[in-house]
Amino acid sequence: MLKIWGRTNSNNVKKALWAAEEVGVSYENIPAGGAFGIVSDPEYRAMNPNGLVPTLEDKDLVLWESNTIVRYLVAQYGEAALHIEDAAARAKAEKWMDWATSTLATPFRDVFWNVVRLTPDKQDHAAKEKGIQDCGRLFAIVDAALAQQPYLSGEKFGVGDIPLGCFAYAWLEMPIERPDHPHLVTWYERLKERPAFQKAVMIPLT
């Protein structure tokens, strides 16, 4: 059986689990990272020398990097609606995957850690507020795109929606004041209707 290593409260692991649920492939989730440890064990480092999560095992294939894992699951097991055959259309969708990692993840981390992960005595309120401002500006870019089409992948839900969907869940559910992004919210409400999103992503924020 396909294995996905990683703790379920990690945004990067959520991407992989959500993709697996969407394509309907059977898998085993093995908790790793954070309080679960394992990622420093020699056996794990032999699979993933970065010592990070997620890691995917599918028969003889071992993969790390969450967006790569999502792409693989959709290409290997997904239907055409998720795996877009047209190269240009696929690239337009997948750019949001890499943008989420390269541009949004860093300011988002400052918000998430200082709202959810750290105890009040250890929180950096200046970093949190700057992160909220930066994330608000970045989510405005997403909002503008979603004003033109119902999904980041185009007219239908697809691979490009998965990474940002994980960020959007935390962004819109954290107890913070945030800018109004109506198209982002409408898209998020669509995601919330998906059983795979409910199972893999909509768990308590920790």
Side-chain angles (χ1 to χ4, degrees), residues 91-129:
K92 288 173 65 176
E94 289 185 351
K95 73 175 184 287
W96 292 108
M97 303 175 71
D98 300 319
W99 180 87
T101 301
S102 66
T103 304
L104 180 64
T106 297
F108 180 85
R109 184 183 187 279
D110 287 337
V111 180
F112 189 81
W113 275 76
N114 286 292
V115 173
V116 176
R117 291 264 168 91
L118 296 176
T119 57
D121 61 304
K122 295 182 178 179
Q123 292 175 2
D124 184 336
H125 296 286
K128 180 186 74 173
E129 292 305 319

PDB file of all heavy atoms in Angstrom, residues 91-129:
ATOM      1  N   ALA A  91       0.205  24.413 -16.739  1.00  0.00           N
ATOM      2  CA  ALA A  91       1.181  25.357 -16.182  1.00  0.00           C
ATOM      3  C   ALA A  91       0.489  26.532 -15.501  1.00  0.00           C
ATOM      4  O   ALA A  91       0.943  27.000 -14.445  1.00  0.00           O
ATOM      5  CB  ALA A  91       2.109  25.850 -17.290  1.00  0.00           C
ATOM      6  N   LYS A  92      -0.593  27.018 -16.087  1.00  0.00           N
ATOM      7  CA  LYS A  92      -1.333  28.123 -15.484  1.00  0.00           C
ATOM      8  C   LYS A  92      -1.902  27.736 -14.125  1.00  0.00           C
ATOM      9  O   LYS A  92      -1.972  28.555 -13.209  1.00  0.00           O
ATOM     10  CB  LYS A  92      -2.459  28.575 -16.423  1.00  0.00           C
ATOM     11  CG  LYS A  92      -1.952  29.310 -17.657  1.00  0.00           C
ATOM     12  CD  LYS A  92      -3.070  29.583 -18.645  1.00  0.00           C
ATOM     13  CE  LYS A  92      -4.100  30.539 -18.089  1.00  0.00           C
ATOM     14  NZ  LYS A  92      -5.148  30.860 -19.109  1.00  0.00           N
ATOM     15  N   ALA A  93      -2.307  26.482 -13.994  1.00  0.00           N
ATOM     16  CA  ALA A  93      -2.818  26.008 -12.710  1.00  0.00           C
ATOM     17  C   ALA A  93      -1.681  25.777 -11.722  1.00  0.00           C
ATOM     18  O   ALA A  93      -1.742  26.186 -10.562  1.00  0.00           O
ATOM     19  CB  ALA A  93      -3.619  24.722 -12.910  1.00  0.00           C
ATOM     20  N   GLU A  94      -0.612  25.123 -12.198  1.00  0.00           N
ATOM     21  CA  GLU A  94       0.463  24.723 -11.294  1.00  0.00           C
ATOM     22  C   GLU A  94       1.297  25.900 -10.803  1.00  0.00           C
ATOM     23  O   GLU A  94       2.001  25.768  -9.787  1.00  0.00           O
ATOM     24  CB  GLU A  94       1.354  23.692 -11.979  1.00  0.00           C
ATOM     25  CG  GLU A  94       0.672  22.335 -12.140  1.00  0.00           C
ATOM     26  CD  GLU A  94       1.595  21.274 -12.710  1.00  0.00           C
ATOM     27  OE1 GLU A  94       2.720  21.637 -13.146  1.00  0.00           O
ATOM     28  OE2 GLU A  94       1.201  20.099 -12.724  1.00  0.00           O
ATOM     29  N   LYS A  95       1.239  27.031 -11.484  1.00  0.00           N
ATOM     30  CA  LYS A  95       2.015  28.174 -10.989  1.00  0.00           C
ATOM     31  C   LYS A  95       1.579  28.565  -9.588  1.00  0.00           C
ATOM     32  O   LYS A  95       2.375  29.047  -8.775  1.00  0.00           O
ATOM     33  CB  LYS A  95       1.902  29.366 -11.939  1.00  0.00           C
ATOM     34  CG  LYS A  95       0.557  30.094 -11.921  1.00  0.00           C
ATOM     35  CD  LYS A  95       0.604  31.336 -12.812  1.00  0.00           C
ATOM     36  CE  LYS A  95      -0.687  32.128 -12.748  1.00  0.00           C
ATOM     37  NZ  LYS A  95      -1.778  31.448 -13.480  1.00  0.00           N
ATOM     38  N   TRP A  96       0.280  28.338  -9.275  1.00  0.00           N
ATOM     39  CA  TRP A  96      -0.217  28.675  -7.939  1.00  0.00           C
ATOM     40  C   TRP A  96       0.381  27.751  -6.883  1.00  0.00           C
ATOM     41  O   TRP A  96       0.532  28.150  -5.720  1.00  0.00           O
ATOM     42  CB  TRP A  96      -1.735  28.612  -7.908  1.00  0.00           C
ATOM     43  CG  TRP A  96      -2.370  29.680  -8.726  1.00  0.00           C
ATOM     44  CD1 TRP A  96      -3.014  29.553  -9.918  1.00  0.00           C
ATOM     45  CD2 TRP A  96      -2.419  31.081  -8.403  1.00  0.00           C
ATOM     46  NE1 TRP A  96      -3.453  30.783 -10.361  1.00  0.00           N
ATOM     47  CE2 TRP A  96      -3.106  31.728  -9.448  1.00  0.00           C
ATOM     48  CE3 TRP A  96      -1.941  31.837  -7.326  1.00  0.00           C
ATOM     49  CZ2 TRP A  96      -3.335  33.105  -9.438  1.00  0.00           C
ATOM     50  CZ3 TRP A  96      -2.165  33.212  -7.319  1.00  0.00           C
ATOM     51  CH2 TRP A  96      -2.854  33.825  -8.378  1.00  0.00           C
ATOM     52  N   MET A  97       0.718  26.537  -7.254  1.00  0.00           N
ATOM     53  CA  MET A  97       1.346  25.619  -6.316  1.00  0.00           C
ATOM     54  C   MET A  97       2.701  26.162  -5.879  1.00  0.00           C
ATOM     55  O   MET A  97       3.013  26.224  -4.684  1.00  0.00           O
ATOM     56  CB  MET A  97       1.517  24.240  -6.950  1.00  0.00           C
ATOM     57  CG  MET A  97       0.233  23.607  -7.443  1.00  0.00           C
ATOM     58  SD  MET A  97       0.516  22.041  -8.300  1.00  0.00           S
ATOM     59  CE  MET A  97       0.979  20.978  -6.931  1.00  0.00           C
ATOM     60  N   ASP A  98       3.499  26.564  -6.850  1.00  0.00           N
ATOM     61  CA  ASP A  98       4.842  27.031  -6.542  1.00  0.00           C
ATOM     62  C   ASP A  98       4.822  28.423  -5.915  1.00  0.00           C
ATOM     63  O   ASP A  98       5.664  28.731  -5.058  1.00  0.00           O
ATOM     64  CB  ASP A  98       5.697  27.004  -7.807  1.00  0.00           C
ATOM     65  CG  ASP A  98       5.799  25.598  -8.373  1.00  0.00           C
ATOM     66  OD1 ASP A  98       5.948  24.653  -7.573  1.00  0.00           O
ATOM     67  OD2 ASP A  98       5.701  25.436  -9.599  1.00  0.00           O
ATOM     68  N   TRP A  99       3.871  29.243  -6.316  1.00  0.00           N
ATOM     69  CA  TRP A  99       3.731  30.569  -5.717  1.00  0.00           C
ATOM     70  C   TRP A  99       3.398  30.450  -4.233  1.00  0.00           C
ATOM     71  O   TRP A  99       3.933  31.206  -3.402  1.00  0.00           O
ATOM     72  CB  TRP A  99       2.632  31.340  -6.454  1.00  0.00           C
ATOM     73  CG  TRP A  99       2.382  32.724  -5.950  1.00  0.00           C
ATOM     74  CD1 TRP A  99       3.031  33.870  -6.328  1.00  0.00           C
ATOM     75  CD2 TRP A  99       1.379  33.135  -5.004  1.00  0.00           C
ATOM     76  NE1 TRP A  99       2.496  34.960  -5.667  1.00  0.00           N
ATOM     77  CE2 TRP A  99       1.490  34.530  -4.860  1.00  0.00           C
ATOM     78  CE3 TRP A  99       0.409  32.459  -4.277  1.00  0.00           C
ATOM     79  CZ2 TRP A  99       0.657  35.255  -3.996  1.00  0.00           C
ATOM     80  CZ3 TRP A  99      -0.408  33.171  -3.418  1.00  0.00           C
ATOM     81  CH2 TRP A  99      -0.283  34.563  -3.287  1.00  0.00           C
ATOM     82  N   ALA A 100       2.554  29.505  -3.889  1.00  0.00           N
ATOM     83  CA  ALA A 100       2.197  29.316  -2.486  1.00  0.00           C
ATOM     84  C   ALA A 100       3.430  28.991  -1.656  1.00  0.00           C
ATOM     85  O   ALA A 100       3.586  29.481  -0.523  1.00  0.00           O
ATOM     86  CB  ALA A 100       1.159  28.202  -2.350  1.00  0.00           C
ATOM     87  N   THR A 101       4.315  28.173  -2.224  1.00  0.00           N
ATOM     88  CA  THR A 101       5.517  27.774  -1.502  1.00  0.00           C
ATOM     89  C   THR A 101       6.576  28.867  -1.495  1.00  0.00           C
ATOM     90  O   THR A 101       7.202  29.136  -0.467  1.00  0.00           O
ATOM     91  CB  THR A 101       6.105  26.494  -2.126  1.00  0.00           C
ATOM     92  OG1 THR A 101       5.121  25.456  -2.062  1.00  0.00           O
ATOM     93  CG2 THR A 101       7.348  26.045  -1.395  1.00  0.00           C
ATOM     94  N   SER A 102       6.774  29.513  -2.618  1.00  0.00           N
ATOM     95  CA  SER A 102       7.879  30.468  -2.744  1.00  0.00           C
ATOM     96  C   SER A 102       7.547  31.848  -2.188  1.00  0.00           C
ATOM     97  O   SER A 102       8.446  32.564  -1.746  1.00  0.00           O
ATOM     98  CB  SER A 102       8.282  30.612  -4.215  1.00  0.00           C
ATOM     99  OG  SER A 102       7.228  31.216  -4.962  1.00  0.00           O
ATOM    100  N   THR A 103       6.268  32.227  -2.200  1.00  0.00           N
ATOM    101  CA  THR A 103       5.894  33.608  -1.888  1.00  0.00           C
ATOM    102  C   THR A 103       5.024  33.726  -0.639  1.00  0.00           C
ATOM    103  O   THR A 103       5.270  34.580   0.210  1.00  0.00           O
ATOM    104  CB  THR A 103       5.162  34.225  -3.095  1.00  0.00           C
ATOM    105  OG1 THR A 103       6.001  34.114  -4.258  1.00  0.00           O
ATOM    106  CG2 THR A 103       4.826  35.685  -2.847  1.00  0.00           C
ATOM    107  N   LEU A 104       4.021  32.883  -0.521  1.00  0.00           N
ATOM    108  CA  LEU A 104       3.067  33.014   0.591  1.00  0.00           C
ATOM    109  C   LEU A 104       3.543  32.339   1.871  1.00  0.00           C
ATOM    110  O   LEU A 104       3.247  32.825   2.967  1.00  0.00           O
ATOM    111  CB  LEU A 104       1.717  32.431   0.165  1.00  0.00           C
ATOM    112  CG  LEU A 104       0.591  32.488   1.216  1.00  0.00           C
ATOM    113  CD1 LEU A 104       0.221  33.931   1.542  1.00  0.00           C
ATOM    114  CD2 LEU A 104      -0.629  31.708   0.732  1.00  0.00           C
ATOM    115  N   ALA A 105       4.264  31.246   1.765  1.00  0.00           N
ATOM    116  CA  ALA A 105       4.544  30.416   2.940  1.00  0.00           C
ATOM    117  C   ALA A 105       5.298  31.156   4.038  1.00  0.00           C
ATOM    118  O   ALA A 105       5.011  30.962   5.227  1.00  0.00           O
ATOM    119  CB  ALA A 105       5.320  29.168   2.517  1.00  0.00           C
ATOM    120  N   THR A 106       6.252  32.007   3.681  1.00  0.00           N
ATOM    121  CA  THR A 106       7.081  32.653   4.709  1.00  0.00           C
ATOM    122  C   THR A 106       6.286  33.635   5.569  1.00  0.00           C
ATOM    123  O   THR A 106       6.300  33.526   6.798  1.00  0.00           O
ATOM    124  CB  THR A 106       8.295  33.333   4.070  1.00  0.00           C
ATOM    125  OG1 THR A 106       9.110  32.327   3.449  1.00  0.00           O
ATOM    126  CG2 THR A 106       9.118  34.062   5.113  1.00  0.00           C
ATOM    127  N   PRO A 107       5.568  34.610   4.999  1.00  0.00           N
ATOM    128  CA  PRO A 107       4.775  35.482   5.874  1.00  0.00           C
ATOM    129  C   PRO A 107       3.645  34.735   6.569  1.00  0.00           C
ATOM    130  O   PRO A 107       3.280  35.071   7.702  1.00  0.00           O
ATOM    131  CB  PRO A 107       4.237  36.560   4.925  1.00  0.00           C
ATOM    132  CG  PRO A 107       4.309  35.965   3.564  1.00  0.00           C
ATOM    133  CD  PRO A 107       5.498  35.063   3.589  1.00  0.00           C
ATOM    134  N   PHE A 108       3.104  33.714   5.910  1.00  0.00           N
ATOM    135  CA  PHE A 108       2.044  32.925   6.535  1.00  0.00           C
ATOM    136  C   PHE A 108       2.560  32.233   7.790  1.00  0.00           C
ATOM    137  O   PHE A 108       1.860  32.156   8.800  1.00  0.00           O
ATOM    138  CB  PHE A 108       1.510  31.894   5.549  1.00  0.00           C
ATOM    139  CG  PHE A 108       0.418  31.045   6.122  1.00  0.00           C
ATOM    140  CD1 PHE A 108      -0.900  31.476   6.094  1.00  0.00           C
ATOM    141  CD2 PHE A 108       0.702  29.821   6.716  1.00  0.00           C
ATOM    142  CE1 PHE A 108      -1.911  30.695   6.648  1.00  0.00           C
ATOM    143  CE2 PHE A 108      -0.296  29.040   7.260  1.00  0.00           C
ATOM    144  CZ  PHE A 108      -1.603  29.474   7.233  1.00  0.00           C
ATOM    145  N   ARG A 109       3.774  31.735   7.740  1.00  0.00           N
ATOM    146  CA  ARG A 109       4.351  31.062   8.907  1.00  0.00           C
ATOM    147  C   ARG A 109       4.425  32.001  10.104  1.00  0.00           C
ATOM    148  O   ARG A 109       4.155  31.593  11.244  1.00  0.00           O
ATOM    149  CB  ARG A 109       5.752  30.533   8.570  1.00  0.00           C
ATOM    150  CG  ARG A 109       6.399  29.738   9.701  1.00  0.00           C
ATOM    151  CD  ARG A 109       7.818  29.314   9.339  1.00  0.00           C
ATOM    152  NE  ARG A 109       8.392  28.430  10.337  1.00  0.00           N
ATOM    153  CZ  ARG A 109       8.946  28.830  11.475  1.00  0.00           C
ATOM    154  NH1 ARG A 109       9.005  30.129  11.752  1.00  0.00           N
ATOM    155  NH2 ARG A 109       9.445  27.951  12.332  1.00  0.00           N
ATOM    156  N   ASP A 110       4.771  33.278   9.872  1.00  0.00           N
ATOM    157  CA  ASP A 110       4.845  34.232  10.978  1.00  0.00           C
ATOM    158  C   ASP A 110       3.484  34.437  11.635  1.00  0.00           C
ATOM    159  O   ASP A 110       3.394  34.640  12.845  1.00  0.00           O
ATOM    160  CB  ASP A 110       5.388  35.578  10.482  1.00  0.00           C
ATOM    161  CG  ASP A 110       6.876  35.521  10.177  1.00  0.00           C
ATOM    162  OD1 ASP A 110       7.561  34.644  10.729  1.00  0.00           O
ATOM    163  OD2 ASP A 110       7.348  36.362   9.385  1.00  0.00           O
ATOM    164  N   VAL A 111       2.441  34.392  10.843  1.00  0.00           N
ATOM    165  CA  VAL A 111       1.096  34.523  11.395  1.00  0.00           C
ATOM    166  C   VAL A 111       0.714  33.258  12.152  1.00  0.00           C
ATOM    167  O   VAL A 111       0.307  33.301  13.322  1.00  0.00           O
ATOM    168  CB  VAL A 111       0.059  34.815  10.287  1.00  0.00           C
ATOM    169  CG1 VAL A 111      -1.341  34.941  10.889  1.00  0.00           C
ATOM    170  CG2 VAL A 111       0.423  36.076   9.523  1.00  0.00           C
ATOM    171  N   PHE A 112       0.861  32.121  11.494  1.00  0.00           N
ATOM    172  CA  PHE A 112       0.381  30.862  12.059  1.00  0.00           C
ATOM    173  C   PHE A 112       1.083  30.527  13.369  1.00  0.00           C
ATOM    174  O   PHE A 112       0.444  30.166  14.356  1.00  0.00           O
ATOM    175  CB  PHE A 112       0.572  29.731  11.049  1.00  0.00           C
ATOM    176  CG  PHE A 112      -0.081  28.447  11.459  1.00  0.00           C
ATOM    177  CD1 PHE A 112      -1.435  28.254  11.256  1.00  0.00           C
ATOM    178  CD2 PHE A 112       0.655  27.431  12.063  1.00  0.00           C
ATOM    179  CE1 PHE A 112      -2.059  27.070  11.643  1.00  0.00           C
ATOM    180  CE2 PHE A 112       0.052  26.246  12.447  1.00  0.00           C
ATOM    181  CZ  PHE A 112      -1.309  26.075  12.245  1.00  0.00           C
ATOM    182  N   TRP A 113       2.394  30.664  13.378  1.00  0.00           N
ATOM    183  CA  TRP A 113       3.127  30.322  14.599  1.00  0.00           C
ATOM    184  C   TRP A 113       2.765  31.255  15.749  1.00  0.00           C
ATOM    185  O   TRP A 113       2.660  30.814  16.901  1.00  0.00           O
ATOM    186  CB  TRP A 113       4.632  30.346  14.335  1.00  0.00           C
ATOM    187  CG  TRP A 113       5.110  29.050  13.767  1.00  0.00           C
ATOM    188  CD1 TRP A 113       4.948  28.605  12.479  1.00  0.00           C
ATOM    189  CD2 TRP A 113       5.779  27.999  14.463  1.00  0.00           C
ATOM    190  NE1 TRP A 113       5.485  27.346  12.338  1.00  0.00           N
ATOM    191  CE2 TRP A 113       6.002  26.944  13.533  1.00  0.00           C
ATOM    192  CE3 TRP A 113       6.217  27.843  15.773  1.00  0.00           C
ATOM    193  CZ2 TRP A 113       6.653  25.764  13.887  1.00  0.00           C
ATOM    194  CZ3 TRP A 113       6.871  26.665  16.120  1.00  0.00           C
ATOM    195  CH2 TRP A 113       7.064  25.648  15.192  1.00  0.00           C
ATOM    196  N   ASN A 114       2.573  32.520  15.466  1.00  0.00           N
ATOM    197  CA  ASN A 114       2.298  33.481  16.531  1.00  0.00           C
ATOM    198  C   ASN A 114       0.826  33.552  16.925  1.00  0.00           C
ATOM    199  O   ASN A 114       0.485  34.219  17.891  1.00  0.00           O
ATOM    200  CB  ASN A 114       2.806  34.868  16.129  1.00  0.00           C
ATOM    201  CG  ASN A 114       4.316  34.958  16.203  1.00  0.00           C
ATOM    202  OD1 ASN A 114       4.882  34.915  17.289  1.00  0.00           O
ATOM    203  ND2 ASN A 114       4.973  35.070  15.054  1.00  0.00           N
ATOM    204  N   VAL A 115      -0.021  32.842  16.205  1.00  0.00           N
ATOM    205  CA  VAL A 115      -1.434  32.750  16.586  1.00  0.00           C
ATOM    206  C   VAL A 115      -1.755  31.373  17.149  1.00  0.00           C
ATOM    207  O   VAL A 115      -2.473  31.247  18.146  1.00  0.00           O
ATOM    208  CB  VAL A 115      -2.356  33.057  15.380  1.00  0.00           C
ATOM    209  CG1 VAL A 115      -3.825  32.804  15.734  1.00  0.00           C
ATOM    210  CG2 VAL A 115      -2.181  34.509  14.928  1.00  0.00           C
ATOM    211  N   VAL A 116      -1.204  30.331  16.531  1.00  0.00           N
ATOM    212  CA  VAL A 116      -1.598  28.953  16.850  1.00  0.00           C
ATOM    213  C   VAL A 116      -0.538  28.190  17.637  1.00  0.00           C
ATOM    214  O   VAL A 116      -0.855  27.551  18.640  1.00  0.00           O
ATOM    215  CB  VAL A 116      -1.949  28.186  15.555  1.00  0.00           C
ATOM    216  CG1 VAL A 116      -2.269  26.720  15.854  1.00  0.00           C
ATOM    217  CG2 VAL A 116      -3.111  28.855  14.834  1.00  0.00           C
ATOM    218  N   ARG A 117       0.704  28.254  17.213  1.00  0.00           N
ATOM    219  CA  ARG A 117       1.716  27.327  17.729  1.00  0.00           C
ATOM    220  C   ARG A 117       2.394  27.808  19.014  1.00  0.00           C
ATOM    221  O   ARG A 117       2.689  27.001  19.898  1.00  0.00           O
ATOM    222  CB  ARG A 117       2.782  27.069  16.663  1.00  0.00           C
ATOM    223  CG  ARG A 117       2.281  26.268  15.462  1.00  0.00           C
ATOM    224  CD  ARG A 117       2.586  24.788  15.614  1.00  0.00           C
ATOM    225  NE  ARG A 117       1.875  23.978  14.630  1.00  0.00           N
ATOM    226  CZ  ARG A 117       2.344  23.652  13.443  1.00  0.00           C
ATOM    227  NH1 ARG A 117       3.526  24.083  13.066  1.00  0.00           N
ATOM    228  NH2 ARG A 117       1.621  22.893  12.637  1.00  0.00           N
ATOM    229  N   LEU A 118       2.686  29.089  19.110  1.00  0.00           N
ATOM    230  CA  LEU A 118       3.467  29.579  20.238  1.00  0.00           C
ATOM    231  C   LEU A 118       2.571  30.001  21.397  1.00  0.00           C
ATOM    232  O   LEU A 118       1.466  30.502  21.199  1.00  0.00           O
ATOM    233  CB  LEU A 118       4.326  30.777  19.809  1.00  0.00           C
ATOM    234  CG  LEU A 118       5.393  30.492  18.752  1.00  0.00           C
ATOM    235  CD1 LEU A 118       6.093  31.779  18.347  1.00  0.00           C
ATOM    236  CD2 LEU A 118       6.415  29.472  19.259  1.00  0.00           C
ATOM    237  N   THR A 119       3.071  29.796  22.605  1.00  0.00           N
ATOM    238  CA  THR A 119       2.352  30.278  23.785  1.00  0.00           C
ATOM    239  C   THR A 119       2.431  31.804  23.825  1.00  0.00           C
ATOM    240  O   THR A 119       3.350  32.404  23.251  1.00  0.00           O
ATOM    241  CB  THR A 119       2.970  29.690  25.061  1.00  0.00           C
ATOM    242  OG1 THR A 119       4.366  30.031  25.107  1.00  0.00           O
ATOM    243  CG2 THR A 119       2.819  28.176  25.086  1.00  0.00           C
ATOM    244  N   PRO A 120       1.463  32.465  24.485  1.00  0.00           N
ATOM    245  CA  PRO A 120       1.427  33.935  24.467  1.00  0.00           C
ATOM    246  C   PRO A 120       2.740  34.594  24.885  1.00  0.00           C
ATOM    247  O   PRO A 120       3.107  35.639  24.337  1.00  0.00           O
ATOM    248  CB  PRO A 120       0.296  34.260  25.444  1.00  0.00           C
ATOM    249  CG  PRO A 120      -0.627  33.080  25.345  1.00  0.00           C
ATOM    250  CD  PRO A 120       0.287  31.893  25.168  1.00  0.00           C
ATOM    251  N   ASP A 121       3.454  34.019  25.829  1.00  0.00           N
ATOM    252  CA  ASP A 121       4.697  34.636  26.299  1.00  0.00           C
ATOM    253  C   ASP A 121       5.822  34.564  25.287  1.00  0.00           C
ATOM    254  O   ASP A 121       6.822  35.279  25.412  1.00  0.00           O
ATOM    255  CB  ASP A 121       5.137  33.991  27.613  1.00  0.00           C
ATOM    256  CG  ASP A 121       5.402  32.500  27.465  1.00  0.00           C
ATOM    257  OD1 ASP A 121       4.484  31.788  27.015  1.00  0.00           O
ATOM    258  OD2 ASP A 121       6.521  32.055  27.780  1.00  0.00           O
ATOM    259  N   LYS A 122       5.675  33.713  24.281  1.00  0.00           N
ATOM    260  CA  LYS A 122       6.716  33.566  23.271  1.00  0.00           C
ATOM    261  C   LYS A 122       6.331  34.173  21.920  1.00  0.00           C
ATOM    262  O   LYS A 122       7.129  34.158  20.984  1.00  0.00           O
ATOM    263  CB  LYS A 122       7.050  32.086  23.085  1.00  0.00           C
ATOM    264  CG  LYS A 122       7.678  31.442  24.319  1.00  0.00           C
ATOM    265  CD  LYS A 122       8.029  29.991  24.067  1.00  0.00           C
ATOM    266  CE  LYS A 122       8.690  29.362  25.292  1.00  0.00           C
ATOM    267  NZ  LYS A 122       9.027  27.934  25.084  1.00  0.00           N
ATOM    268  N   GLN A 123       5.143  34.716  21.825  1.00  0.00           N
ATOM    269  CA  GLN A 123       4.685  35.254  20.544  1.00  0.00           C
ATOM    270  C   GLN A 123       5.363  36.573  20.205  1.00  0.00           C
ATOM    271  O   GLN A 123       5.610  37.405  21.081  1.00  0.00           O
ATOM    272  CB  GLN A 123       3.160  35.437  20.574  1.00  0.00           C
ATOM    273  CG  GLN A 123       2.400  34.126  20.613  1.00  0.00           C
ATOM    274  CD  GLN A 123       0.913  34.321  20.768  1.00  0.00           C
ATOM    275  OE1 GLN A 123       0.420  35.449  20.806  1.00  0.00           O
ATOM    276  NE2 GLN A 123       0.176  33.222  20.863  1.00  0.00           N
ATOM    277  N   ASP A 124       5.645  36.750  18.934  1.00  0.00           N
ATOM    278  CA  ASP A 124       6.227  37.986  18.409  1.00  0.00           C
ATOM    279  C   ASP A 124       5.096  38.740  17.717  1.00  0.00           C
ATOM    280  O   ASP A 124       4.753  38.455  16.564  1.00  0.00           O
ATOM    281  CB  ASP A 124       7.354  37.651  17.430  1.00  0.00           C
ATOM    282  CG  ASP A 124       8.076  38.887  16.910  1.00  0.00           C
ATOM    283  OD1 ASP A 124       7.475  39.979  16.906  1.00  0.00           O
ATOM    284  OD2 ASP A 124       9.247  38.746  16.484  1.00  0.00           O
ATOM    285  N   HIS A 125       4.519  39.691  18.422  1.00  0.00           N
ATOM    286  CA  HIS A 125       3.332  40.368  17.893  1.00  0.00           C
ATOM    287  C   HIS A 125       3.660  41.242  16.687  1.00  0.00           C
ATOM    288  O   HIS A 125       2.832  41.384  15.784  1.00  0.00           O
ATOM    289  CB  HIS A 125       2.669  41.197  19.009  1.00  0.00           C
ATOM    290  CG  HIS A 125       2.155  40.358  20.135  1.00  0.00           C
ATOM    291  ND1 HIS A 125       1.011  39.588  20.019  1.00  0.00           N
ATOM    292  CD2 HIS A 125       2.638  40.133  21.381  1.00  0.00           C
ATOM    293  CE1 HIS A 125       0.798  38.945  21.154  1.00  0.00           C
ATOM    294  NE2 HIS A 125       1.769  39.251  21.999  1.00  0.00           N
ATOM    295  N   ALA A 126       4.840  41.816  16.667  1.00  0.00           N
ATOM    296  CA  ALA A 126       5.227  42.631  15.510  1.00  0.00           C
ATOM    297  C   ALA A 126       5.338  41.759  14.263  1.00  0.00           C
ATOM    298  O   ALA A 126       4.864  42.138  13.186  1.00  0.00           O
ATOM    299  CB  ALA A 126       6.542  43.343  15.789  1.00  0.00           C
ATOM    300  N   ALA A 127       5.944  40.589  14.406  1.00  0.00           N
ATOM    301  CA  ALA A 127       6.061  39.670  13.274  1.00  0.00           C
ATOM    302  C   ALA A 127       4.688  39.191  12.825  1.00  0.00           C
ATOM    303  O   ALA A 127       4.428  39.058  11.624  1.00  0.00           O
ATOM    304  CB  ALA A 127       6.943  38.485  13.645  1.00  0.00           C
ATOM    305  N   LYS A 128       3.810  38.942  13.787  1.00  0.00           N
ATOM    306  CA  LYS A 128       2.458  38.504  13.446  1.00  0.00           C
ATOM    307  C   LYS A 128       1.724  39.569  12.647  1.00  0.00           C
ATOM    308  O   LYS A 128       1.116  39.264  11.606  1.00  0.00           O
ATOM    309  CB  LYS A 128       1.668  38.177  14.713  1.00  0.00           C
ATOM    310  CG  LYS A 128       0.234  37.711  14.439  1.00  0.00           C
ATOM    311  CD  LYS A 128      -0.563  37.550  15.729  1.00  0.00           C
ATOM    312  CE  LYS A 128      -0.946  38.886  16.319  1.00  0.00           C
ATOM    313  NZ  LYS A 128      -1.854  38.740  17.483  1.00  0.00           N
ATOM    314  N   GLU A 129       1.765  40.801  13.110  1.00  0.00           N
ATOM    315  CA  GLU A 129       1.039  41.870  12.422  1.00  0.00           C
ATOM    316  C   GLU A 129       1.607  42.122  11.034  1.00  0.00           C
ATOM    317  O   GLU A 129       0.854  42.346  10.079  1.00  0.00           O
ATOM    318  CB  GLU A 129       1.068  43.149  13.261  1.00  0.00           C
ATOM    319  CG  GLU A 129       0.276  43.063  14.542  1.00  0.00           C
ATOM    320  CD  GLU A 129      -1.171  42.652  14.311  1.00  0.00           C
ATOM    321  OE1 GLU A 129      -1.779  43.141  13.334  1.00  0.00           O
ATOM    322  OE2 GLU A 129      -1.687  41.834  15.092  1.00  0.00           O
TER     323      GLU A 129
END
